[in-house]
Amino acid sequence: MLHNFASQLYPNFFIFAPLNLFRLYMTNSSKIELMAPAGSFDSLQAALDNGADSVYFGVEQLNMRARASINFTLDNLDEISARCKAKNVRTYLTLNTIIYDHDLSLIRTLINRAKEADITAVIVMDQAVIAYAREVGMEVHISTQINITNIETLKFYSMFADTVVLSRELSLGQIEKIAEQIKKQEIKGPSGRLVEVEVFGHGALCMAVSGKCYMSLHTYNSSANRGACKQNCRAPYLVIDKESGIELEIDNEYIMSPKDLCTIDFLDELVAAGIRILKIEGRGRAPEYVAKTIKSYREAIDAIADGTYSKEKVNTWMTELKKVYNRGFWGGYYLGRKLGEWSDTSGSKATQKKIYIGKGVHYYPKAKIGEFHIQAFDVKVGDTLLITGPTTGAQEIELKEMYVNDAKATLAKKGDVVTIPISFRIRPSDKLYKIVKTEATTN
């Protein structure tokens, strides 16, 4: 009945998108799909280099990270599509903000351009966006902002979407029941395949129910639901009795800033619950975050599939994940917890940080030598270096030898030109960093 009603409203809603060979493989594979964030070309390349099965990204302003990441332009879509197709990686354009009448023309432009560039799917929340995407034959994924928490709601959206992102507040048991009902009732999307369940697996959480927060709008007139969150929930707060002026004692002044979600230590249970796609949050974070996070979860997913997932490996992955930006970790609501675990700092608790020391100059492919100009701080043999760039991604190396001003040396200073043996091409746009332990690690 609902299908017929919608078909009358939008005759082209139910155009079947051609099945993708990668998607056919994933459907029959024991491995789940690993989805990576891409807030820049640097991060996109880091995702491709470290084993992502798919990437999601925003274009222009109509996405939930409109201010938190660099964001791509319409002119970037062809390059994004080409790079990802070369590695058989799916591409998802996020269009999941609140949409007003004056946005509708831009929405149509974005979706039309995405279809021309052969972007795989759009991640959406607004019904007008869903309608237009289906009308032109774009694959639709339902955003977590819809807040799907039960099988009947999922069944309704299956008329329009092949993938649904479940609410972040569900437990493993609730997810498992939904996944079981999809199979039992054979709930299929417009493509004709069973609807796939996607969940968040790692990254920032906030006070809001599935990301729908009004705190930033209320205090700054800057809406999180339009991709313009001011993140005032991350600030320290005092609790004061307005009548007496007495300040109440609280255990943690960051009472509205949850720790980051991390599921790698119970990922086998999440996979067993029936999810098909694991989404890593972080379009506003640096390319080295994408590299380490995707690499760790890639290894974990592969280990689950081949039966080598273990506590020892989990400990190794946790050590790696702690090296990049995080507010501390907890398992979210998946394990049945009622309340969040709160961060005790406004910033990162990463065990490492990067220090900018220079930029790329030239690469000599035959000799496999990279040339860099040192612009800040010393660098010495034994240091861990990070090289980032739009085509380089995020490459971490140990400096084993170098030449300074054409002479072999163990130390380089500001102003020096150094050459380093590296196996990958660098470009003048690349940045060179030194990785050091943070104060929290050394104290």
Side-chain angles (χ1 to χ4, degrees):
M1 178 177 173
L2 286 171
H3 188 289
N4 293 335
F5 174 69
S7 297
Q8 292 173 14
L9 285 177
Y10 301 102
N12 297 321
F13 246 32
F14 301 97
I15 296 173
F16 282 8
L19 281 174
N20 181 285
L21 290 177
F22 168 79
R23 175 57 75 207
L24 281 172
Y25 165 77
M26 290 302 297
T27 301
N28 296 316
S29 170
S30 60
K31 293 183 183 180
I32 61 171
E33 177 182 329
L34 177 59
M35 186 195 303
S40 66
F41 273 116
D42 303 43
S43 294
L44 173 66
Q45 192 60 46
L48 297 178
D49 290 340
N50 287 279
D53 295 310
S54 57
V55 296
Y56 68 102
F57 54 92
V59 169
E60 311 295 347
Q61 68 266 38
L62 296 181
N63 70 90
M64 293 298 284
R65 294 296 181 271
R67 291 190 183 179
S69 59
I70 297 171
N71 285 306
F72 297 103
T73 67
L74 282 173
D75 293 335
N76 296 142
L77 286 175
D78 288 325
E79 183 176 351
I80 293 169
S81 181
R83 283 204 204 182
C84 291
K85 280 183 179 180
K87 293 212 171 183
N88 203 24
V89 169
R90 287 166 64 85
T91 47
Y92 305 136
L93 172 63
T94 59
L95 295 171
N96 56 343
T97 62
I98 289 174
I99 302 299
Y100 297 119
D101 280 331
H102 66 264
D103 297 319
L104 293 175
S105 177
L106 177 57
I107 280 292
R108 288 189 285 269
T109 299
L110 290 170
I111 292 176
N112 289 342
R113 189 67 189 85
K115 185 172 175 60
E116 290 173 8
D118 204 18
I119 298 301
T120 308
V122 287
I123 303 173
V124 301
M125 167 180 72
D126 189 278
Q127 282 72 22
V129 186
I130 294 172
Y132 189 74
R134 291 308 310 149
E135 187 175 333
V136 300
M138 279 291 290
E139 181 178 324
V140 168
H141 293 190
I142 298 299
S143 171
T144 190
Q145 274 75 28
I146 289 287
N147 197 33
I148 293 178
T149 56
N150 61 74
I151 191 63
E152 292 302 321
T153 303
L154 182 144
K155 189 186 299 184
F156 173 81
Y157 283 103
S158 71
M159 294 188 295
F160 321 119
D162 294 294
T163 300
V164 298
V165 188
L166 297 182
S167 169
R168 299 182 193 180
E169 292 70 43
L170 295 181
S171 68
L172 283 173
Q174 290 170 315
I175 293 170
E176 185 173 16
K177 287 180 180 179
I178 289 173
E180 287 175 350
Q181 285 301 311
I182 291 173
K183 291 182 179 180
K184 184 177 181 180
Q185 299 183 38
E186 295 187 347
I187 301 172
K188 298 178 180 180
S191 67
R193 65 175 184 264
L194 291 179
V195 170
E196 295 184 319
V197 169
E198 177 185 321
V199 299
F200 279 79
H202 190 93
L205 291 173
C206 65
M207 287 285 291
V209 173
S210 286
K212 299 187 77 170
C213 179
Y214 294 90
M215 187 174 183
S216 179
L217 178 66
H218 177 72
T219 52
Y220 294 107
N221 196 31
S222 185
S223 176
N225 302 297
R226 294 277 290 175
C229 181
K230 293 290 189 179
Q231 294 203 341
N232 41 326
C233 63
R234 305 296 183 190
Y237 285 89
L238 301 176
V239 179
I240 299 175
D241 185 326
K242 291 180 70 174
E243 291 186 4
S244 66
I246 296 174
E247 181 181 327
L248 302 181
E249 183 179 350
I250 55 176
D251 292 334
N252 180 10
E253 60 185 353
Y254 296 94
I255 57 174
M256 290 185 286
S257 181
K259 293 180 180 179
D260 284 0
L261 173 66
C262 179
T263 63
I264 206 161
D265 57 338
F266 59 93
L267 187 59
D268 54 340
E269 297 180 58
L270 202 51
V271 172
I275 69 165
R276 291 302 302 165
I277 304 174
L278 188 77
K279 184 175 189 175
I280 307 300
E281 191 277 339
R283 277 183 290 148
R285 295 187 177 177
E288 64 270 18
Y289 167 89
V290 175
K292 280 201 181 293
T293 306
I294 295 303
K295 184 175 186 294
S296 295
Y297 277 89
R298 173 78 279 152
E299 291 176 359
I301 290 170
D302 292 347
I304 292 168
D306 63 26
T308 62
Y309 180 85
S310 66
K311 184 178 180 180
E312 290 73 25
K313 287 187 175 182
V314 166
N315 290 338
T316 299
W317 296 321
M318 288 296 291
T319 298
E320 290 300 301
L321 293 171
K322 288 176 181 177
K323 289 179 179 179
V324 289
Y325 192 103
N326 71 85
R327 297 184 179 92
F329 295 130
W330 75 300
Y333 298 95
Y334 293 126
L335 300 178
R337 293 170 182 156
K338 299 298 183 183
L339 296 173
E341 294 185 16
W342 312 111
S343 176
D344 57 6
T345 179
S346 62
S348 177
K349 302 187 76 170
T351 59
Q352 293 182 346
K353 65 180 179 179
K354 64 183 181 183
I355 299 174
Y356 177 78
I357 57 174
K359 66 176 184 178
V361 176
H362 188 71
Y363 184 70
Y364 301 91
K366 289 185 178 180
K368 293 186 177 180
I369 295 291
E371 184 178 0
F372 297 88
H373 181 208
I374 305 302
Q375 298 177 312
F377 301 104
D378 296 348
V379 60
K380 65 182 184 301
V381 171
D383 285 342
T384 299
L385 303 181
L386 172 69
I387 305 166
T388 67
T391 55
T392 302
Q395 302 285 349
E396 194 173 294
I397 64 170
E398 181 184 348
L399 181 56
K400 296 182 178 180
E401 63 174 316
M402 67 176 168
Y403 281 77
V404 179
N405 302 325
D406 295 326
K408 194 169 185 178
T410 58
L411 178 69
K413 297 185 176 182
K414 181 180 178 180
D416 288 338
V417 174
V418 304
T419 51
I420 302 170
I422 48 177
S423 59
F424 51 90
R425 180 181 293 274
I426 62 121
R427 290 170 173 78
S429 58
D430 288 356
K431 295 178 181 179
L432 180 66
Y433 300 91
K434 179 166 61 175
I435 300 295
V436 299
K437 292 183 178 180
T438 60
E439 292 181 7
T441 307
T442 55
N443 289 344

